[in-house]
Amino acid sequence: MKKYDLVVIGGGAGGLTVASGAASLGAKVALIEKGAALGGDCLHYGCVPSKALIAAANDVHYLQKTNDFGFTVSGKVDMKKVKERVKQAIQHIQVHDSTERFEDMGVDVYFGAAKFVDSHIITIADRERVYGKRIVVATGSRPIVPSIPGLDEVGYETNETIFDREELPETMIFIGGGPISLEIAQAYSRLGTQAIVLERSEAILGKEDESIQRLAIDFLSDEIDIRHHVSVKEVKQDGTRKVVIYEKNGKIEEVIGDELFLGAGRKPNTDQLEVEVAGVEVNERGYIVVNERLQTSVSHIYAIGDVNGQFPFTHAAGMEGKLIVQNAVLGLGRKVSYDRLPWTTYTSPEIFHIGKTEREAKASEGEIMVFQNGLEEVDRFVADHNVTGTVKIITNKKGKILGAHAIGKGAGDWMQTVIFAMEKGAKIGDLSTMVYPYPNQAAAIQRTADQYWREKLFKGSLPKITEKYIKWFR
């Protein structure tokens, strides 16, 4: 049995970050991946294929808009071509996550399902055993399959199967209105499918600022049929089509489509690890419980990424992975903080989020300031004929940025300036005094931040003082 300084279970974003970082520092590392290749859910079933699909759908959408210039476009989307583009993106990025690359770093890579034998020993595919002085669980998550009568008989798509489709359905029903469903629903809508989203709660995008939520619903409803307060009761087959029977406001209704997509949430991949053998605590939903140092109830075992239930984002797993290298390899005892963790929902327009919403900021700070500016006030968006969206920055009374939110084309990119400002402790006034090349989209941040100085300088007693000074100075 081989012994390692660190055993990493899971070859996704978090696990790869830990394995490469630890090996670079001289640790003897084993990396165990259940699937056939490294890269994890993000590369094969999540971030990469979904963004490739969205890009293809947006290309189709923009082609259809050429009618504005006198061109006409006809024909139907060839889903085989779309699938090919998605696979090309995966293959290109897979090179960076290749087994050979990690073996060249000195990492021993194993393929097979991992299980705990005790708190230090892991068995791989019930054949080989390895010993880890410290262990990191980074096994990710998978789609929840709700217990809906008839679902298994009718069949369905998830994010693990949708990117292999070679035919475009006329109608697709999405059960669940989370970010994954909304991104794929809009993409399919732009490719030519009628997309219907059935959402249990009152509103979609529940973690977003309320004003951003309202705008997002308005924009997305132009392309997607979103039905709220829906409780799915049964699914059945009607010839070649699928019927979803649901309750809405006390009434039983039904919707018919060619295909179903499950977007009802995610569940952690812990059920086959037998973590209880190692004494690792999990909560009622199956997530591994961790402390601020990302340690489990067994101090030498850590958990990062989707499996710990904090934030289901690739970049969150990567951030946690870097911290784990410091803690598990170097013993520094660093604490994780999610206060400045941003995320983007890649619908069109994109939705950006960092820090607190207005409601959260009021609850924690009491008195706050809110600065908001529509994209129609930004020359670049006007020139691009794409003024759909807004920027909202929330601060305390001293101008410290508590949260920032945006909806607009490319918001996930041009809002990066705010991330840096929050990371470095800069205030909203600093965002105003920066020089922004004209005309660019990030000027939306400047226009919003300028409101701070107008509030500070041009209201209250200061204008009266400067008026007297100017008269004296003359």
Side-chain angles (χ1 to χ4, degrees):
M1 180 172 62
K2 287 188 176 181
K3 294 187 176 182
Y4 294 92
D5 300 310
L6 189 68
V7 173
V8 181
I9 307 173
L16 295 181
T17 299
V18 175
S20 60
S24 298
L25 292 173
K28 187 177 181 182
V29 180
L31 174 62
I32 306 170
E33 167 56 37
K34 181 180 179 180
L38 301 179
D41 189 77
C42 178
L43 175 60
H44 299 288
Y45 312 116
C47 322
V48 173
S50 66
K51 303 316 167 280
L53 175 69
I54 289 169
N58 288 343
D59 284 349
V60 172
H61 181 69
Y62 299 140
L63 278 173
Q64 292 168 343
K65 284 188 172 183
T66 57
N67 289 333
D68 296 343
F69 303 100
F71 295 95
T72 58
V73 178
S74 61
K76 187 178 179 180
V77 170
D78 184 344
M79 281 302 292
K80 291 182 180 179
K81 295 291 186 183
V82 175
K83 176 184 174 181
E84 182 180 337
R85 178 187 278 202
V86 170
K87 296 303 179 185
Q88 285 174 352
I90 294 172
Q91 290 167 4
H92 183 87
I93 297 174
Q94 178 70 61
V95 174
H96 303 293
D97 295 340
S98 68
T99 302
E100 292 76 18
R101 179 170 178 263
F102 280 82
E103 288 177 340
D104 288 343
M105 294 180 189
V107 177
D108 287 349
V109 180
Y110 297 86
F111 290 98
K115 291 181 182 179
F116 280 90
V117 175
D118 60 30
S119 65
H120 284 283
I121 299 175
I122 305 294
T123 181
I124 306 166
D126 293 323
R127 295 191 306 269
E128 191 168 6
R129 292 187 175 193
V130 294
Y131 174 97
K133 182 179 179 182
R134 291 180 176 84
I135 298 170
V136 177
V137 181
T139 48
S141 64
R142 64 185 186 274
I144 290 174
V145 179
S147 55
I148 299 172
L151 189 60
D152 289 336
E153 290 76 18
V154 168
Y156 52 83
E157 300 273 15
T158 70
N159 72 294
E160 295 182 352
T161 62
I162 191 71
F163 304 111
D164 289 323
R165 286 195 66 90
E166 295 185 349
E167 294 182 3
L168 188 68
E170 289 187 12
T171 303
M172 185 178 291
I173 303 167
F174 292 78
I175 298 177
I180 294 173
S181 278
L182 293 175
E183 289 179 2
I184 295 177
Q186 187 184 41
Y188 265 84
S189 175
R190 293 188 164 193
L191 291 170
T193 294
Q194 180 188 9
I196 302 168
V197 173
L198 306 179
E199 169 57 34
R200 175 182 290 272
S201 64
E202 180 180 356
I204 59 173
L205 302 167
K207 291 186 177 181
E208 303 301 334
D209 185 89
E210 289 181 359
S211 62
I212 300 295
Q213 281 184 48
R214 289 192 294 269
L215 285 172
I217 292 170
D218 287 344
F219 299 148
L220 292 172
S221 293
D222 289 340
E223 301 180 55
I224 307 170
D225 180 357
I226 303 174
R227 305 182 187 184
H228 302 282
H229 298 292
V230 167
S231 176
V232 176
K233 299 299 182 182
E234 183 185 358
V235 177
K236 61 183 181 180
Q237 196 82 32
D238 182 8
T240 60
R241 309 198 77 193
K242 300 177 182 184
V243 182
V244 179
I245 300 167
Y246 62 90
E247 182 179 348
K248 178 179 172 65
N249 299 327
K251 295 182 179 180
I252 298 297
E253 301 179 18
E254 67 177 38
V255 60
I256 301 174
D258 302 292
E259 190 54 80
L260 295 179
F261 180 90
L262 296 186
R266 312 278 297 177
K267 63 184 297 184
N269 293 325
T270 55
D271 48 338
Q272 296 177 1
L273 285 173
E274 298 185 7
V275 293
E276 66 279 0
V277 173
V280 172
E281 180 185 356
V282 298
N283 65 20
E284 66 280 358
R285 297 175 61 195
Y287 291 102
I288 295 178
V289 179
V290 295
N291 62 18
E292 292 177 312
R293 295 175 178 82
L294 299 175
Q295 292 170 301
T296 69
S297 52
V298 180
S299 62
H300 66 269
I301 301 176
Y302 301 77
I304 63 173
D306 290 14
V307 79
N308 68 24
Q310 299 300 313
F311 286 90
F313 305 122
T314 297
H315 54 283
M319 178 267 287
E320 292 172 340
K322 291 177 182 178
L323 185 141
I324 285 292
V325 172
Q326 299 174 64
N327 289 354
V329 179
L330 301 178
L332 297 183
R334 296 283 172 83
K335 295 181 179 180
V336 69
S337 172
Y338 302 103
D339 292 344
R340 295 183 296 274
L341 180 73
W343 66 78
T344 302
T345 302
Y346 291 95
T347 51
S348 293
E350 291 181 0
I351 303 165
F352 171 88
H353 179 124
I354 186 172
K356 297 178 180 179
T357 64
E358 182 176 350
R359 181 189 292 271
E360 292 167 343
K362 284 180 179 177
S364 64
E365 300 287 332
E367 196 171 1
I368 62 171
M369 295 190 292
V370 178
F371 307 95
Q372 190 161 353
N373 192 74
L375 299 187
E376 71 277 1
E377 300 294 326
V378 182
D379 292 356
R380 178 56 186 271
F381 287 102
V382 173
D384 290 346
H385 286 264
N386 208 323
V387 298
T388 299
T390 190
V391 176
K392 183 174 184 177
I393 300 177
I394 303 157
T395 75
N396 64 12
K397 294 299 289 184
K398 294 184 178 180
K400 178 184 177 183
I401 303 170
L402 305 174
H405 310 272
I407 182 168
K409 182 181 179 181
D413 292 325
W414 47 261
M415 285 294 287
Q416 294 293 308
T417 305
V418 182
I419 299 175
F420 188 74
M422 290 182 69
E423 188 67 32
K424 297 303 179 183
K427 296 183 177 181
I428 188 171
D430 299 315
L431 291 174
S432 175
T433 56
M434 286 175 55
V435 178
Y436 296 74
Y438 181 86
N440 73 0
Q441 295 171 330
I445 299 170
Q446 184 183 37
R447 291 296 296 256
T448 308
D450 284 348
Q451 295 176 21
Y452 172 80
W453 288 120
R454 286 197 289 272
E455 185 81 20
K456 286 289 185 181
L457 298 180
F458 305 135
K459 293 184 179 180
S461 60
L462 184 59
K464 296 178 182 179
I465 297 172
T466 55
E467 181 182 5
K468 291 179 180 180
Y469 172 80
I470 292 168
K471 288 179 180 179
W472 171 83
F473 182 70
R474 288 178 179 172

